[in-house]
Amino acid sequence: MIGQSVSVHSPSGMELAGLAGLLAAVPAVAYLGQSGRRHTGAARRAHLLLAAGGALSTAGALAGLASALLTGGHHHHDPAHARSLATMVAIAMGIGTLTLLAGTVALPGATRGPAAALRHVLDGLVIAAAIWFVGWVLISRPTRILGDLTPYPCPAVLLPAVLAALALGLTAVMALHAHRPRRNSIRIAAGVSVVAVAATAISTAICRERDTLALSGVLLLAAGLIAVALAVKAADRPVEVTGDVLERGGAYAVVPMLAVIGALGYHLTRGGALDALGYFGASVVGLALVARQYLALDDVRRYTVRLRQREAHFRELAHTDPLTGLANRRGLQRALRDSPDGAVLIGIDLDGFKTVNDMRGHDVGDSVLAEVAARLRRNLLGGDVAARLGGDEFAVLMHGDADEAMLAAHRLLAVLGEPYEVDGGSIFLSASLGVADTGELLHDADLALRYAKQRGKNRVERYQAGYDELLRRRGTLQGELRHAIDRGQLRLVFQPVVALPSMRPVGAEALLRWTHPDLGAVRPDEFIPVAEESGLINRIGAWVLEQAVVQLAAWRASGHDVWVSVNLSPKELHNADYAAQVADVLAEHNVPPQRLVLEVTEHAVATDMEELVRRLAEVRETGVRIALDDFGAGYSSLTQLRTLPVDILKIDHALVAEPESRTGTAAPLVDVVVRLGHRLGLEVLAEGIGTTAQREVVEEAGCRLGQGSLFGWGVPAEHFETRLRTLQPVGPRPLPAPRTIPRSDAPARSQVVRLGPGMRQVRALLPSDPDFRGSRGDQNVGSVDSGREMGQG
C-alpha cells in the first residue's frame, strides 16, 4: 500500500473507505468542541480536552494515510520511509490519545479531586503495565501469538500500544471508582481506549503496509470518537451524582500482580528471556505499586489526623452546651476531675424561669439563658469554668477558699438579678446560689442550692452537713403532701385585717396550715415551695379557694360584714380557666365577688409584666379585687403600679418594721407608699404590725388598714367568728373621744379629699389645720369592703 514513488498512484477502494471513515469522525469532534464552549468550569475544560484530543488523533491519522497515498505505491517499497511516517503518525495520535485521557480524568464525577485523579492514574498504570507485560509475553518469543504479524521492525508502535494499555487500565479504574452513575464515565473511557487501539493499528498498518489493518484502525478511530461524543451528550442530562462511602474493588492491585507473575512464570518455563520491553513492563508495575502504596499510606496518615481532629471536635461538642457555649454537665465533671485541690463550686439556679418560658415562649427563654451565660463569662477569672447543667441551672468552678467563693457568689447574685432586656421588654429574675468547697462538690453545691431556694430564693447558701437531712425531709414532704387533702391534714386559719385606728376587724386573710400525724406542724414556707415545684399547688390552691369562700358564705349568713383574702400562686394564675374557676366558686356559694380578695406577690409581678396584666385583668373582670402583696420587697416600679389592675397595696412588713432613719423619723417609706397608693386610687394595707409604735407610725401616715401580730395571729374560723360577735354593736356607736391638741412641731400628715365620683386628691395637713385632729379618726371603716372604701370609686 505504501511505497516511495514520485508519481501518485490511483487509490484503492479500501484506501478510499479508510479516508471516508476518518471524515465520519469529524462531526463527533465538532460536537465535542461545541459542548465544551457550551459548558463552564470543570465540564468545559474536560469537553475541550476531549475535542482537542479527538482532533489531534483524527488529524494525525488523516495526515498519515494521505501521505501514504500521495507518496507511495506497492511497487516502490521503502521500509525506512514507512517506519518514519508511522513514527510521526504514532506521535501525533499518541499526543491526541494522551489529551483524550486527560479529558477523561478531568470529567466531573470521574474523580473527587486532584489527589484522587493521581490515585486513579496510578491504579490505571498498574493495570496497564500488567496488560503490557502479558502482551509482551504473548507477542515475544517463544510464544509469538501473532506469528509473522509481530511488529518487531516498528518501534513506533510502542507509544500507541503503551497508551492503549493505559487507556484500558484507566477504563477499569473508572468502572470501580467513578461516582455513580458510572455509565457515562465508563463509556467515555472505553471510547478513548478504542481510539488508543486504533492509533496502534494505524501506526502498525502504515509501518507494515497493511491495508486491511489500516481500514480497521480508521473504523475503530471513528467508532471510538463517536462513542465519546454520544457519552458526552448523554452526560448532559441532569442526574444525581453520588459516590461510594468506601472505595470498592481491591482486585485492581492484586489481579495485575498475579497476571504478571503468572505470565512471567509461563514465559520462563517456555525458555523465554526477559528483554528490555519485558523489563520495562515489570518495572512499571513495581514502581506504580510502590507509588500507589506511598499515596495510600499518605492518605491513611491524613485520614488519621483528620479523624483525630474530628474526634477532638466531637469530644469538645460532647462537653459543650450548644445554646450558651459553656461547658455542659460532662464538661464540668471533666473539669472537676482535672481540678487541683482548693477548687470551689458555685451552683446557680434562676428563680421563676419556667414562668418566662410559659408566658413569653422558649425563644425568649433561650435569649435569657444566653445572656446569663454572657454575664457569667464576664465575671470569670483565669482558670474558672462556667457550665450550664441543664434548663436554667448553671455552675461555676473556681479556685480559692470558701470566703472568696462566697464573695464571688454574692457578686454573681447581684449580676444575675439585673433586668434582662429581651424583645424590647424587661424581664426581672433572681437567682439562688449554693456554694460547696469540700467533699463531693457537685452533690454538695446542689444541696446548698436547693436549700437556698427552700429558704426563700434570691440568696446564697454555703453547704452544711445538715443539708442531707433537709433534702431527705423535702422528699418526704413531697410524698406526704400528695395525700394531705384526702387525709384531712390541711386546714385554714384566718388572720384579722383591722381598720385603723379603731382596730375593728373588717376582713381576714386565709392562711394554709398543714399538720401531719408524724411530722407534726409543717411551716408554710417549707411545704409551699415543695407544692410549687411538684405541681401540687394548683390542686391545693383550688382547695384553699373553695374552703375560704365556703367560710365567707357562712360568716355572711351569720350577719358578719367582712371580706376574705386568699394568696394566689403565679402557677395558678397561668391556668387559662382560672378566672372561670373563681367565678364558679363564688356563684356556687352565692358570695358577692367584691368580698373576695386575691393576693399576688410582687415577685410574681416582676417575672412577666405583660402576661400578668392580662391574666389579672381576666380575674378582675369577675368582680373580685386584686391585692399586690409584699410591696416594697421586690422590683415594682411606678409604671408597673399604674399598669397593674390591682385594688389594694399591701406594704411589706420590712418597711413597717424599718428602724429610724438618719432623719430620726421612724419608717419614712411607709408615709411615701401610703401617699403613692392614695394618689393612684388604691387602698393601702400595712402588714407585719407587731408593736404599738409601728401602729402609730402607720396611722400617722394615713393608712386605714392594718394586719399583724399586734391585732392577732391566724386563728381557726370559729375563733375569728367569736371575735366578730363580741365586736358587733348592740346600740348606737359611741363617738370617739376627743384628742388632745397636737404639738406645733408634730409631723404633717396626708388626707384624701374626694372631689367627685372616682376623683380624689391627697393634701398635706399641718398641726395648725382644724382638720388635723380629726384626721386620725376611724374614717368610717364599718364597711371597708365596699367599692368606695377599697379604692374602686
Side-chain angles (χ1 to χ4, degrees):
M1 170 181 170
I2 301 176
Q4 187 174 8
S5 175
V6 295
S7 63
V8 179
H9 74 283
S10 299
S12 65
M14 189 170 293
E15 292 170 341
L16 293 176
L19 292 175
L22 283 176
L23 294 178
V26 173
V29 175
Y31 177 81
L32 291 174
Q34 293 176 357
S35 178
R37 289 190 295 271
R38 189 172 62 250
H39 287 79
T40 59
R44 178 184 180 90
R45 291 191 298 270
H47 292 183
L48 289 179
L49 284 173
L50 291 175
L56 286 173
S57 299
T58 304
L62 182 61
L65 292 178
S67 298
L69 288 175
L70 293 175
T71 60
H74 290 295
H75 54 284
H76 289 108
H77 175 67
D78 187 355
H81 177 72
R83 285 195 297 270
S84 66
L85 182 58
T87 301
M88 290 186 292
V89 172
I91 292 174
M93 296 191 71
I95 295 174
T97 304
L98 279 175
T99 307
L100 286 169
L101 290 175
T104 303
V105 175
L107 283 171
T111 61
R112 297 179 178 86
L118 179 59
R119 290 194 296 270
H120 288 356
V121 170
L122 287 176
D123 294 340
L125 190 59
V126 171
I127 299 175
I131 294 174
W132 170 272
F133 191 85
V134 173
W136 167 78
V137 170
L138 295 177
I139 293 175
S140 64
R141 296 182 180 87
T143 303
R144 296 199 63 185
I145 191 173
L146 297 179
D148 293 337
L149 297 178
T150 304
Y152 278 120
C154 301
V157 178
L158 293 178
L159 177 61
V162 169
L163 294 178
L166 181 59
L168 292 173
L170 193 60
T171 302
V173 172
M174 290 292 182
L176 291 173
H177 299 312
H179 282 287
R180 295 177 181 173
R182 299 184 173 91
R183 185 187 312 111
N184 293 326
S185 298
I186 296 174
R187 288 171 61 186
I188 293 175
V192 173
S193 299
V194 172
V195 172
V197 173
T200 305
I202 293 174
S203 300
T204 303
I206 293 176
C207 181
R208 300 298 300 270
E209 300 178 353
R210 301 286 183 177
D211 293 345
T212 304
L213 185 60
L215 178 60
S216 300
V218 168
L219 295 178
L220 286 176
L221 176 63
L225 291 177
I226 292 173
V228 171
L230 292 176
V232 167
K233 182 177 181 180
D236 287 341
R237 300 170 187 170
V239 294
E240 183 179 356
V241 179
T242 60
D244 289 335
V245 177
L246 297 176
E247 292 194 355
R248 306 181 307 165
Y252 69 87
V254 178
V255 173
M257 281 301 300
L258 293 179
V260 169
I261 294 173
L264 180 61
Y266 168 78
H267 184 69
L268 294 178
T269 56
R270 294 290 301 271
L274 189 65
D275 59 12
L277 295 178
Y279 181 79
F280 171 76
S283 300
V284 170
V285 171
L287 291 175
L289 285 176
V290 171
R292 185 63 177 87
Q293 185 66 22
Y294 173 80
L295 289 179
L297 292 176
D298 185 65
D299 289 341
V300 170
R301 180 187 60 80
R302 288 188 291 106
Y303 290 156
T304 302
V305 172
R306 189 181 307 171
L307 181 62
R308 289 176 180 174
Q309 293 174 346
R310 291 182 178 179
E311 182 182 1
H313 174 67
F314 289 129
R315 186 184 298 111
E316 190 63 27
L317 288 180
H319 292 83
T320 303
D321 177 63
L323 175 62
T324 62
L326 302 179
N328 58 13
R329 185 176 292 273
R330 291 191 187 93
L332 180 62
Q333 290 173 343
R334 181 180 63 179
L336 286 171
R337 290 193 301 268
D338 299 338
S339 63
D341 296 337
V344 181
L345 186 64
I346 303 175
I348 304 170
D349 189 88
L350 302 179
D351 301 329
F353 178 76
K354 187 177 183 302
T355 305
V356 176
N357 277 339
D358 294 342
M359 290 187 173
R360 300 290 294 273
H362 289 275
D363 290 340
V364 174
D366 290 346
S367 300
V368 172
L369 294 177
E371 176 61 21
V372 170
R375 295 182 185 184
L376 291 179
R377 287 193 191 94
R378 289 195 294 266
N379 288 272
L380 290 180
L381 299 178
D384 295 349
V385 177
R388 180 188 176 213
L389 305 183
D392 59 340
E393 188 175 356
F394 295 81
V396 172
L397 179 65
M398 59 174 295
H399 303 283
D401 54 26
D403 294 335
E404 294 174 345
M406 290 297 292
L407 290 175
H410 282 94
R411 183 179 69 252
L412 293 177
L413 181 67
V415 168
L416 298 178
E418 296 177 357
Y420 296 85
E421 302 296 332
V422 179
D423 291 342
S426 298
I427 294 179
F428 295 89
L429 291 175
S430 62
S432 300
L433 289 83
V435 179
D437 58 315
T438 57
E440 299 182 10
L441 296 181
L442 194 58
H443 174 268
D444 295 349
D446 184 61
L447 289 182
L449 175 60
R450 294 190 181 187
Y451 189 66
K453 297 183 76 69
Q454 185 179 359
R455 293 193 63 185
K457 305 178 181 179
N458 193 26
R459 59 187 300 117
V460 177
E461 290 290 340
R462 181 181 174 186
Y463 172 77
Q464 298 178 12
Y467 288 172
D468 293 286
E469 179 62 30
L470 293 175
L471 180 60
R472 285 191 291 269
R473 176 177 173 83
R474 194 175 185 84
T476 302
L477 292 179
Q478 182 173 342
E480 294 297 323
L481 190 58
R482 296 184 180 274
H483 310 287
I485 294 178
D486 300 333
R487 295 171 180 173
Q489 298 172 0
L490 298 181
R491 61 187 178 90
L492 293 182
V493 296
F494 298 86
Q495 186 175 24
V497 176
V498 303
L500 298 175
S502 67
M503 295 187 293
R504 181 169 61 85
V506 292
E509 179 179 359
L511 303 174
L512 182 62
R513 296 293 183 263
W514 180 22
T515 303
H516 190 274
D518 298 327
L519 301 176
V522 185
R523 300 188 312 274
D525 60 352
E526 188 178 12
F527 71 81
I528 292 297
V530 174
E532 291 181 341
E533 292 181 7
S534 60
L536 298 172
I537 192 64
N538 290 328
R539 183 188 177 200
I540 294 176
W543 182 87
V544 170
L545 177 64
E546 176 80 19
Q547 297 300 313
V549 172
V550 167
Q551 187 58 60
L552 181 57
W555 285 337
R556 280 179 43 79
S558 300
H560 302 298
D561 189 16
V562 292
W563 45 269
V564 171
S565 64
V566 176
N567 291 286
L568 175 61
S569 170
K571 293 183 179 295
E572 295 179 81
L573 196 60
H574 294 165
N575 292 337
D577 59 344
Y578 184 76
Q581 176 186 346
V582 172
D584 292 343
V585 172
L586 292 172
E588 179 182 356
H589 299 286
N590 195 26
V591 173
Q594 67 270 18
R595 300 281 178 156
L596 178 65
V597 177
L598 297 179
E599 298 186 9
V600 58
T601 61
E602 189 184 19
H603 178 73
V605 172
T607 304
D608 194 317
M609 185 67 179
E610 181 179 351
E611 180 68 14
L612 185 69
V613 168
R614 186 175 68 84
R615 296 288 188 180
L616 288 178
E618 292 176 358
V619 176
R620 196 165 181 255
E621 287 178 357
T622 64
V624 301
R625 288 167 297 174
I626 307 297
L628 182 59
D629 198 9
D630 300 333
F631 183 81
Y635 308 98
S636 289
S637 65
L638 296 180
T639 303
Q640 290 174 335
L641 282 180
R642 293 174 60 88
T643 307
L644 283 172
V646 298
D647 306 282
I648 306 174
L649 200 62
K650 297 188 70 173
I651 305 177
D652 186 72
H653 62 86
L655 297 184
V656 175
E658 184 184 9
E660 292 188 358
S661 65
R662 291 188 298 270
T663 61
T665 305
L669 292 180
V670 172
D671 184 71
V672 174
V673 174
V674 172
R675 291 172 182 264
L676 175 64
H678 288 167
R679 179 63 63 90
L680 295 175
L682 305 177
E683 188 59 73
V684 182
L685 188 156
E687 53 183 350
I689 300 176
T691 63
T692 303
Q694 293 173 359
R695 176 180 61 83
E696 291 177 353
V697 169
V698 170
E699 292 178 7
E700 291 288 341
C703 185
R704 302 190 305 170
L705 297 175
Q707 182 181 356
S709 60
L710 182 64
F711 314 118
W713 296 101
V715 295
E718 55 272 18
H719 295 179
F720 184 75
E721 185 175 5
T722 301
R723 181 175 178 181
L724 292 177
R725 289 198 195 98
T726 58
L727 295 175
Q728 280 184 332
V730 295
R733 181 178 176 182
L735 297 175
R739 298 188 181 274
T740 59
I741 299 176
R743 307 187 313 272
S744 60
D745 59 348
R749 291 196 296 271
S750 62
Q751 182 185 46
V752 179
V753 181
R754 292 176 55 85
L755 302 178
M759 301 177 60
R760 303 174 181 224
Q761 181 178 355
V762 180
R763 70 184 184 91
L765 293 180
L766 300 176
S768 59
D769 197 306
D771 295 331
F772 186 84
R773 289 175 293 174
S775 64
R776 295 183 57 180
D778 196 4
Q779 301 185 36
N780 189 20
V781 293
S783 182
V784 182
D785 57 318
S786 66
R788 179 180 62 81
E789 296 289 346
M790 296 305 298
Q792 295 181 349

